[in-house]
Each structure stands twice: as C-alpha cells, then as structure tokens.
Amino acid sequence: MHSAVFLMEFGAVVLALGLLGRFAVRMRLSPIPLYLLAGLAFGHGGLIPLGGSEEFIEVGAEIGVVLLLLLLGLEYSAGDLVGHLKVHAPAGAVDFLLNALPGAAAALLLGWGPVAAVVLAGVTWVSSSGVIAKVLGDLGRLGNRETPVILSVLVLEDLAMAVYLPILTAILAGAGWAAGGLTLAVALAAVGTVLLVAVRYGRVISRFISSDDPEKLLLVVLGLTLLVAGVAQRLQVSAAVGAFLVGIALSGEVAEHTHHLLMPLRDLFAAVFFVFFGLSTDPATMPPVLLPALALVVVTVATKVATGYWAARRAGVGERARWRAGGALVARGEFSIVIAGLAVSAGVEPALGPLATAYVLLLVVIGPLAARFVEPLAARVLGRGAEEAPAGGRASREPVAAVD
C-alpha cells in the first residue's frame, strides 16, 4: 500500500511540474516560481500535503543541486575562469559589496543574528545564471556588446560560490575558528588544485572519461560526480562545490556530450529541488515576511542595476547597453534557494526560509521584466540624448536586436 501511495503522489507531483513547465513556456516565464508555488501547495500547511513520497523528494532535491552545479561547471573551462578572475575582479568586488551587504544588513536589522546575516547576504548576492541566460536568448541579445559583461559577472559569482559555500557550511555546522579555517583551507586547496589540474591535464582527463557509448559516458560522469559530491560533503566543503569542480575539470567534446545527456535529468531533479524547498516552507509563515521581502527586493533591484551599469561602463560599452546590463542581472533563482535551503536544513532562523521564498518568487518574475524595460525606462526618464561614447571615443554601434 505504501508503494502505491508513493507512486501516486510522486507521479502527481511530476505531472504537475510538467504541466506548470509547459504553461511557463507559453507565458515566456521562468518555471522556477511555479515550481516553488507547487511545493507550497503540496507541503505542510498547503492544499494537498504529501506523506509517502516526501522522503524520496528530499533525496531527489539533493541530486538536483548536484546536477545544477555540475552542468554549471561544464559551461566553463578552467582557463576561462582564471581569465575572468584576472580581468573582471573589480566588477566582482563591486557586485559583492552592493548586493551581499543589503542582505546581511536586513538580517541584522530583523534581529536574526550574524549566522542568518551570512546566509541572507548570499541569497541577495547571486543572480540566476539559468534565468538570465534564457532571458538573453528570448530577447535576442546574446550577440550584444553588453552580454560578455553580464556573463563575466555571473562567472565571478559562480566561482565565488566555491569559496562561499564551504564557509557557510562550516558556520551552519557550528564549527569553531580552527575547524572553520581548516574547512576553508581545504576548499581553497581543492578549488586551486582542480583549476591547476584542469588547465594542465584537462584533455587527458576528458580522454580518459570519454566514450562513444552515451550510456557508459552518462554512468561514469554521473557516478564520479555523486562520489566527489559525497566526499566533499563529508569534508564539509559542500556537495555543490564538489559537483561544480567536476564540471570544470571536464572539457571539450566530453563536456558537450555530457551536457547534452544530463540536461533532461538536471531539469527533472532541479524541478524536484525547487518543489522540496517549497515543501519545507509553510505558506502561513510567508505573510509576516512579505514587507521585509518587498523592501529587500526594491533595494537589491537597484543595486543589481547599478552593478551591471558600472561593470558595463568599465568595459567601455555605450549608455543604453549599460542599462541593459544592469536590468539583465536582476533575477535571483537557483543559487539563492540552494543557500537558503542549507540554512533551513540547519534550523538557523524559522522566518529565513519564507523570506527567501518570497524574495526569489518576486525577483524571478521581476527579473525578465527588468531585463526588457530598464533600458527604455531609463531612456525616457533621462531623455533620449545621443549615445554616450565608449572608452574608444566613438559612439558605440548597438545590434538591431538590442532595440526594444
């Protein structure tokens, strides 16, 4: 009987996710807010609480985080990461200061303490690579002059997570200064070693893992990733960081084939992850945190726009492209939920999960709208003067697709 209940419940959840995903595609929206809402509906205090399948969904959510970070790592080569770090480090520093500090300040003002401040800083800091990439594609801006600037900021955020997540894991585990410092040292050593090995021996590793049989390639990469993620979590470095490093270590055709093979699995388990986060949040706890969430949204929309504008200006692109860069960076999503999920599991602050849920729900909807309308709104408010000359001294020529 328990098996039948599990199959019916889990089948209903997956069917609901599929229908919600199709609806999101038709509405040209990210499905993330719909998945979160589905979790709220199926969770404790929701419309149809689950019973028999919740434990399996929790395991599926952990796999979802691992696959999200693995495929994110596959997007970058070690050489790309090192190059971005050297060239765009100032933009990453500005991004951190403008967007992490408001979250930390909000947690302290709410009286949640320093641990919650570290968590909420991460929630407000990191933009959603998945949502932003989709929006840029939908708007036909992948070839725009500001797009490399946007991608550079996202790459730096992803790389920073390899350091931030181990620190957060140590703090949430209640580790002292000695244990926390050891965890951070292990994480930094792991990141540095993987980057060094990937730069020098990436092709050798990829050839060793490569296989013409998709089944064998899938099994080897997935098994290796789960193994490394488990070891990383045992060392309190974070399973997500372990999966990210495996993705970085793979390159060339192996990375492309693996990305293609794992995309459907990632989408399935990532959806399960968002549902599980919603399951762990009681909808009744959200109304009390809506006002702080709205205030945080207003502040961090402005700071993300300022981040993109500054980074694009530093790169020498034109005035309109700077506003587009700022608007494109507004969306938060998967990383914010991963960070909040770690805090919820550790029982840091009961209101932190609901606040993060409301915050992400709002920004994952506002983000695509900001990407589309910030530039024309700024042009209307500031006046449609001549395009500001970039660093080279001549007015920039924007692609036709960039004009809304």
Side-chain angles (χ1 to χ4, degrees), residues 70-77 80 247-248 250 255 259 263 266:
L70 170 63
L71 266 73
L72 188 63
L74 290 173
E75 297 285 347
Y76 310 124
S77 70
D80 292 337
I248 292 173
L250 301 179
H259 193 281
M263 277 282 285
R266 183 206 64 177

Side-chain angles (χ1 to χ4, degrees), residues 240-262:
V241 172
F244 182 61
L245 294 178
V246 171
I248 292 173
L250 301 179
S251 61
E253 291 186 2
V254 171
E256 293 178 10
H257 293 163
T258 302
H259 193 281
H260 177 72
L261 290 172
L262 286 176

Side-chain angles (χ1 to χ4, degrees), residues 90-107 117-128 153-154 157 161 164 295-311 325-326 329-332 336 339 359 363:
V94 170
D95 182 31
F96 170 77
L97 292 173
L98 291 182
N99 298 287
L101 294 184
V118 174
V119 174
L120 200 54
V123 170
T124 60
W125 174 16
V126 186
S127 299
S128 171
V153 172
L154 295 177
E157 288 180 348
M161 287 297 100
Y164 170 82
L296 206 51
V297 164
V298 171
V299 172
T300 55
V301 165
T303 54
K304 271 294 181 183
V305 171
T307 298
Y309 185 96
W310 186 89
L329 288 170
V330 165
R332 302 330 193 260
S336 298
I339 293 165
Y359 178 78
L363 281 182

Side-chain angles (χ1 to χ4, degrees), residues 171-188:
I171 292 174
L172 293 176
W177 284 103
L182 179 61
T183 299
L184 179 58
V186 170
L188 291 175

Side-chain angles (χ1 to χ4, degrees), residues 208-270:
F208 175 76
I209 294 176
S210 178
S211 173
D212 294 331
D213 187 338
E215 177 186 350
K216 305 302 186 297
L217 179 61
L218 178 63
L219 290 174
V220 170
V221 174
L222 186 57
L224 176 64
T225 302
L226 293 175
L227 178 63
V228 171
V231 171
Q233 188 157 315
R234 174 69 69 175
L235 296 174
Q236 292 190 348
V237 174
S238 170
V241 172
F244 182 61
L245 294 178
V246 171
I248 292 173
L250 301 179
S251 61
E253 291 186 2
V254 171
E256 293 178 10
H257 293 163
T258 302
H259 193 281
H260 177 72
L261 290 172
L262 286 176
M263 277 282 285
L265 277 178
R266 183 206 64 177
D267 293 342
L268 170 61
F269 284 103

Side-chain angles (χ1 to χ4, degrees), residues 13 17 34-36 38-40 42 50 57 270-280:
V13 170
L17 294 179
L34 300 182
Y35 294 158
L36 289 171
L40 292 172
F42 287 124
L50 298 179
I57 290 175
V272 171
F273 165 69
F274 291 119
V275 168
F276 177 73
F277 188 81
L279 287 175
S280 62

Side-chain angles (χ1 to χ4, degrees), residues 40 45 281-294 351 353-355 357-358 361-362:
L40 292 172
T281 303
D282 188 343
T285 62
M286 292 187 65
V289 298
L290 278 180
L291 190 58
L294 282 169
L355 176 64
T357 302
L361 279 171
L362 290 168

